Amino acid sequence: MGAGRPVLSGARALLKDLYGVPGNRILNEILQTERPQKVVQGLSCEDFFWLIKKVGEEDCLPLLQLASVDQWQYLLDMEIWDRDRVDMARTAEWMRRLVEADPLRLVRWLFTEGQSLAWYHLLGNLEVVVTDTKDDVYDLPEGFFSLDGMIHVRVLDPEQRETLEEVLRVLAGEDLNRYQALLLGLGGVLPAEMEEEMYRLRNVRLGEHGFLPYEEALS
């Protein structure tokens, strides 16, 4: 990045003409600052969200790489919900982008604050089989693979295979024991209850930004 403009000559200043400047120009302005990560993370979650929308979802990878986990969370809270239901297709799209942006930071988040989303998303997209013997492995249908020799998984949607297999590999590489616990815990997940709790927490987070839950906003 060269010398560029001074750090945070005003992150908000770069966005003051947000609606009148092309998204690629705004992105270039940010990337040419001395410390673009500090500029991006200096934005409020709301400003970051609108910056993503301005730049465009398919061109926002540099911004996702520079953003904070809190900004990621707000973005997901705004993007992957259809009223009180998780939109699985939109979740898959944003998972793909976050894997491309920073897979290690993503899986660390999925192990912690994002674990509910990890469980819910994997439950809807994986078939998991635990084997005791080598003979059990031979009986598995095509498409299963294992990273530990015990837990075998198959991605149900071919379009998501590459992304989810990458997520699983990074999860296992970061912490094999927690990876195993995550997958073995899928059997005890009740999707409806999990989604309800995720929705409640999402409303709490958005309430801190001044948003009312959908039902309250209607009333």
Side-chain angles (χ1 to χ4, degrees), residues 46 73-74 77-78 198-214 216:
E46 295 90 339
Q73 178 71 79
Y74 181 84
D77 283 340
M78 296 294 288
M198 289 167 60
Y199 183 62
R200 184 189 70 80
L201 293 174
R202 181 241 190 188
N203 286 339
V204 170
R205 289 190 297 267
L206 291 185
E208 296 173 354
H209 295 274
F211 288 91
L212 291 174
Y214 178 76
E216 291 183 31

Side-chain angles (χ1 to χ4, degrees), residues 56-67:
E57 295 176 359
E58 296 306 323
D59 297 317
C60 70
L61 183 61
L63 295 175
L64 294 177
Q65 292 170 332
L66 297 169

Side-chain angles (χ1 to χ4, degrees), residues 20-81:
V21 176
N24 59 350
R25 178 178 162 189
I26 296 173
L27 179 59
N28 290 335
E29 288 282 340
I30 291 173
L31 295 179
Q32 288 171 11
T33 60
E34 292 178 6
R35 296 175 65 184
Q37 184 178 53
K38 190 169 183 179
V39 171
V40 171
Q41 295 189 9
L43 297 172
S44 68
C45 291
E46 295 90 339
D47 282 338
F48 175 74
F49 171 75
W50 287 113
L51 178 60
I52 291 288
K53 305 307 284 186
K54 183 69 176 180
V55 170
E57 295 176 359
E58 296 306 323
D59 297 317
C60 70
L61 183 61
L63 295 175
L64 294 177
Q65 292 170 332
L66 297 169
S68 68
V69 171
D70 286 343
Q71 288 169 325
W72 281 6
Q73 178 71 79
Y74 181 84
L75 180 65
L76 292 174
D77 283 340
M78 296 294 288
E79 286 291 300
I80 70 172
W81 289 88

Side-chain angles (χ1 to χ4, degrees), residues 20-208:
V21 176
N24 59 350
R25 178 178 162 189
I26 296 173
L27 179 59
N28 290 335
E29 288 282 340
I30 291 173
L31 295 179
Q32 288 171 11
T33 60
E34 292 178 6
R35 296 175 65 184
Q37 184 178 53
K38 190 169 183 179
V39 171
V40 171
Q41 295 189 9
L43 297 172
S44 68
C45 291
E46 295 90 339
D47 282 338
F48 175 74
F49 171 75
W50 287 113
L51 178 60
I52 291 288
K53 305 307 284 186
K54 183 69 176 180
V55 170
E57 295 176 359
E58 296 306 323
D59 297 317
C60 70
L61 183 61
L63 295 175
L64 294 177
Q65 292 170 332
L66 297 169
S68 68
V69 171
D70 286 343
Q71 288 169 325
W72 281 6
Q73 178 71 79
Y74 181 84
L75 180 65
L76 292 174
D77 283 340
M78 296 294 288
E79 286 291 300
I80 70 172
W81 289 88
D82 181 8
R83 298 188 181 181
D84 61 346
R85 302 297 304 274
V86 176
D87 185 324
M88 297 299 287
R90 292 289 288 164
T91 301
E93 291 174 7
W94 283 105
M95 280 288 189
R96 173 180 60 80
R97 296 183 185 112
L98 292 175
V99 167
E100 292 177 3
D102 194 333
L104 184 56
R105 188 151 54 111
L106 173 63
V107 301
R108 287 173 176 170
W109 178 74
L110 292 175
F111 272 141
T112 53
E113 294 94 337
Q115 189 171 76
S116 293
L117 179 61
W119 268 331
Y120 191 85
H121 188 60
L122 294 178
L123 183 65
N125 289 287
L126 293 184
E127 184 177 356
V128 179
V129 175
V130 180
T131 59
D132 295 321
T133 68
K134 290 184 178 180
D135 290 338
D136 293 335
V137 177
Y138 297 138
D139 293 335
L140 289 174
E142 185 179 354
F144 277 89
F145 73 99
S146 177
L147 298 173
D148 63 356
M150 177 182 71
I151 302 174
H152 299 260
V153 297
R154 177 168 63 177
V155 180
L156 300 177
D157 183 352
E159 294 185 1
Q160 294 192 52
R161 181 172 295 123
E162 183 177 353
T163 294
L164 286 179
E165 288 186 358
E166 175 66 12
V167 169
L168 293 172
R169 288 189 181 93
V170 181
L171 283 167
E174 175 66 9
D175 191 323
L176 184 60
N177 290 332
R178 293 173 80 177
Y179 163 81
Q180 292 171 331
L182 183 67
L183 291 186
L184 293 175
L186 292 177
V189 172
L190 299 175
E193 291 183 8
M194 177 68 71
E195 186 176 44
E196 183 177 348
E197 177 63 8
M198 289 167 60
Y199 183 62
R200 184 189 70 80
L201 293 174
R202 181 241 190 188
N203 286 339
V204 170
R205 289 190 297 267
L206 291 185
E208 296 173 354

